[in-house]
Amino acid sequence: MRAPIGLRISTRRKALRRSQAALARSVGISPSYLNLIEANKRQVGGTLLQRIAAELDISIGELTGEAEHRLIYELTEAFADPVLADVGLSADQARSLVATQPQIAQMITRLHRAYAAAAVSADAYANRLRADPLLSQLLHQVLSRITAVRSSAEILDEIKDLSSEERERFVGSISREARGLTAVAQNLIGQFDHASIASRSASVRRELDDMIFAARNYFPSLEERAAEIAVDLGEQASEATIIDHLRERHGITVERTANPPSGQAFAYNAERRTIWFRNTVPQSTRQFQMIRLIANVTSGGVLDTVAGAPELSSKTARRLARAYLSSYVAGAVLFPYERFRSDAEALRYDVEALSERYNASFEQVAHRLVTLRREDAEGVPFGFLRSDPAGRLTKHFALPGLLLPQTGHACPLWAIYAAFRSSGQLVRQVVRFSDGSRFLFIAKAVSRRSSGFADQALPHSILLATDILHADRTVYADGLDLRDSGADVPVGPSCRLCTRADCPSRQEAPFAPGTEATLTGSIA
């Protein structure tokens, strides 16, 4: 769903009492072309949109309506829920509601979030009660111990001529069973608490997404802190200098072993002030994690300040945000903003070429590309998505105009899944959504190293997405006729939100009322 950028440009220009001719002259285009832009008959993006925003003294975010677009998406998702599907809210009605009654639209999405969290919690408890053998066993133990206590108590109450020795034996039995009952009850409560924590994870992820979205995934204070750490490490920081810095400045030693104490690829023991790495962990990961550790031990103040954002309402959300923010700092240290953006422009955003230049992984470079959102020096705007081999989405960063699925699975036609069939090879794809919006997708499946024969190195797929308006700034547009939409792959966001009822790859029936679809993809 594209935001009406042209209308916003026209409204802002008129508010400033500037003519079309004057604005067109200032940004270096013809008045007729500006007229087409304002009429939403021409798409605008990249440097031209930046020049227009600068001339109108308005942020790009306000022109593109990023926040409004996200609200439209969430509203559409809410009304796609089976509980509200009968209402039949159309995309145009969603846009109209957000434009005319934004407070009501926000209230609906918040209520839907609360409902979704409650439904997940109820399902978690119901599933545990029905199917969890541990809960069944614990409940059986509770009943058994209650029965034992009751039997002993009845004997004491009904049989009056018990000897003192017998009475003492039954009292001891009641005491033992009561203590056992307490322990079992605590375990039972712990299991329910675990289910409750798991059910809250979805809402916590939403809060973290809200914080990142509100900041456009760019945090100036963290960029400044990263620059300070980079100065401390030296201009030509290597793995050896980072290890020396950890030892000399922070008393932290780095060890490499075939079997870290935690059994994970790497682990930090705060008490021993030692960070371990498996021998097979690549250098790029070792350097990233060591710098992330430096950020954690030296930047608590700035990390806590940013993690105190109003979008985060719980300690769990702030803890997860702090972990993400420390990774942000590490990425900013390894890929200094100005130099990295300059290299990205020179290499036309060739992720593999950037990986080679910076001796970094594909995923690390992709992460940093997503954060190049400083308004006066913005890179190509990318969205980011990661999938595990089962197709489950494990990480995402939204792109204005393309709000990626929060959880579950994306459209099965997306390149992120095709990349699994071409492991190690980059897959590119031009897609078109039902509203006419077009995007360039690039994806690659990569695997982490295993430490031995018995360890499985599961691949995961990384996807970067950008609006077709910016595609020609990347190397991935070479050889493509971006003006010809005939070769586009028709896709949707996910099966349940897709309106293409005749799609042969559909895996789930759509939620839209009155829409029938054949689940050809799910039939063996």
Side-chain angles (χ1 to χ4, degrees), residues 349-352 355 362-363 366 369 382-388 393 395 402 404 410-431 439-447 459-466 474-477 480:
Y349 294 88
D350 187 328
V351 181
E352 291 165 313
S355 298
F362 186 94
E363 184 172 355
L369 288 175
F382 284 107
F384 175 99
L385 198 63
R386 188 178 71 187
S387 168
D388 66 16
L393 306 179
K395 187 183 293 185
L402 175 66
L404 303 170
C411 170
L413 296 176
W414 284 15
I416 192 169
Y417 300 127
F420 281 118
R421 299 191 293 271
S422 305
S423 185
Q425 298 296 314
L426 194 138
V427 178
R428 67 177 179 177
Q429 178 187 57
V430 177
V431 301
F439 295 87
L440 174 66
F441 285 177
I442 59 172
K444 185 177 182 180
V446 295
S447 294
H460 57 279
S461 183
I462 306 297
L463 179 138
L464 285 174
T466 190
T474 75
V475 69
Y476 306 109
L480 298 176

Side-chain angles (χ1 to χ4, degrees), residues 216-369:
R216 301 177 76 240
N217 205 10
Y218 176 74
F219 300 91
S221 59
L222 301 186
E223 296 283 348
E224 293 174 5
R225 178 63 195 130
E228 295 169 353
I229 293 175
V231 170
D232 289 342
L233 292 175
E235 187 174 347
Q236 300 295 329
S238 63
E239 182 176 13
T241 59
I242 298 172
I243 291 174
D244 290 342
H245 180 91
L246 280 169
R247 184 182 64 255
E248 295 170 5
R249 296 283 191 93
H250 309 293
I252 297 174
T253 59
V254 180
E255 295 183 8
R256 295 179 62 181
T257 175
N259 296 296
S262 67
Q264 298 175 334
F266 52 84
Y268 174 63
N269 186 310
E271 293 183 0
R272 294 188 57 184
R273 300 191 70 78
T274 301
I275 182 169
W276 286 277
F277 291 99
R278 278 189 175 179
N279 291 330
T280 52
V281 172
Q283 181 184 7
S284 59
T285 301
R286 295 196 303 269
Q287 290 190 176
F288 183 90
Q289 293 300 330
M290 287 190 291
I291 294 175
R292 185 172 181 266
L293 178 58
I294 293 172
N296 270 316
V297 300
T298 65
S299 312
V302 66
L303 293 176
D304 289 340
T305 298
V306 179
E311 293 82 8
L312 307 175
S313 64
S314 66
K315 289 183 178 180
T316 302
R318 287 188 287 273
R319 177 177 55 79
L320 291 179
R322 202 180 188 281
Y324 167 73
L325 297 171
S326 63
S327 294
Y328 183 104
V329 173
V333 172
L334 289 170
F335 313 108
Y337 195 100
E338 291 294 349
R339 179 159 64 90
F340 183 74
R341 188 181 71 89
S342 177
D343 287 340
E345 290 282 349
L347 294 171
R348 299 184 59 215
Y349 294 88
D350 187 328
V351 181
E352 291 165 313
L354 287 166
S355 298
E356 183 177 351
R357 177 165 295 189
Y358 284 85
N359 190 27
S361 71
F362 186 94
E363 184 172 355
Q364 287 173 350
V365 171
H367 265 294
R368 187 52 168 156
L369 288 175

Side-chain angles (χ1 to χ4, degrees), residues 205-217:
R205 286 195 300 271
R206 281 288 185 111
E207 290 185 5
L208 182 57
D209 288 341
D210 290 343
M211 181 202 75
I212 294 171
F213 189 88
R216 301 177 76 240
N217 205 10

Side-chain angles (χ1 to χ4, degrees), residues 148-158 174:
V149 169
R150 179 179 177 180
S151 297
S152 297
E154 287 177 348
I155 292 173
L156 288 174
D157 181 57
E158 295 175 1
I174 292 174

